[in-house]
Amino acid sequence: MPPVELTPGRRDEVVRSGDLEVLGRMAWSSNATLLVNAALDGVEVRAIYKPVQGERPLWDFPDGTLANRELSAWVVSEALGWGIVPPVVEREGPRGIGSMQLFIAHDPDEHYFAVRGQERLHPQYVGLAAFDLLTNNADRKGGHLLLDPAGRIWGIDNGLCFHAQRKLRTVVWDFA
């Protein structure tokens, strides 16, 4: 049987509907953040699953809303045509309803503070600074900006966006 071509639509279908296997918990996460394998019809895709029931309460954000904020950040990114946030869906997983985001392969040593001086990346950082401003991101850390092997920067961990009060907190100030 020839290999199945993994188009973005097919990949998203696997994340949205595939059978899930928890591979492990992501280190240093304050909320339940799980690496999962999604499998459908012989196609496997890695994703990050954040179940609502694994959210730690925050004094300044309503309980149980972080997964929806993750999804909303992706919707804004797509509506603007910016493609800054990896695809996110809301779905049932092994620990209940939550957000499921495409996992981006990356080198964790190539975080914002390690690569921000590379001029070729500056236009992407300008877009991320604007995105954080528009979404009122209250938690943009250096490790939330992933550089994939193709040289594209992705903004992940957007659960603390869209607060009614001004809470902008981002590491991308160099490009504000």
Side-chain angles (χ1 to χ4, degrees), residues 13-156:
E13 177 187 11
V14 175
V15 171
R16 187 175 41 259
S17 305
D19 294 328
L20 300 176
E21 174 191 5
V22 175
L23 301 176
R25 186 175 176 135
M26 300 302 288
W28 305 294
S29 299
S30 55
N31 296 294
T33 304
L34 307 169
L35 178 64
V36 299
N37 189 63
L40 183 67
D41 299 329
V43 177
E44 295 185 3
V45 176
R46 294 277 198 281
I48 298 295
Y49 166 52
K50 296 182 177 182
V52 171
Q53 72 178 22
E55 293 178 9
R56 286 190 176 161
L58 297 169
W59 69 270
D60 57 343
F61 280 83
D63 291 351
T65 64
L66 302 184
N68 286 334
R69 292 168 193 272
E70 292 276 1
L71 178 60
S72 297
W74 174 75
V75 169
V76 167
S77 171
E78 291 302 295
L80 293 170
W82 292 2
I84 289 174
V85 177
V88 180
V89 298
E90 178 183 68
R91 70 167 287 188
E92 188 75 29
R95 297 191 183 172
I97 196 79
S99 66
M100 187 80 58
Q101 183 172 60
L102 178 69
F103 176 79
I104 300 298
H106 65 285
D107 178 348
D109 291 331
E110 291 190 330
H111 53 78
Y112 175 72
F113 294 107
V115 300
R116 71 180 177 186
Q118 297 180 23
E119 242 179 85
R120 68 182 175 84
L121 300 176
H122 288 187
Q124 293 183 72
Y125 287 131
V126 169
L128 282 155
F131 181 78
D132 284 350
L133 179 65
L134 288 171
T135 60
N136 193 23
N137 193 321
D139 190 40
R140 176 70 71 212
K141 296 179 175 82
H144 297 170
L145 300 174
L146 307 181
L147 178 62
D148 74 14
R152 182 173 178 181
I153 299 172
W154 297 90
I156 63 160

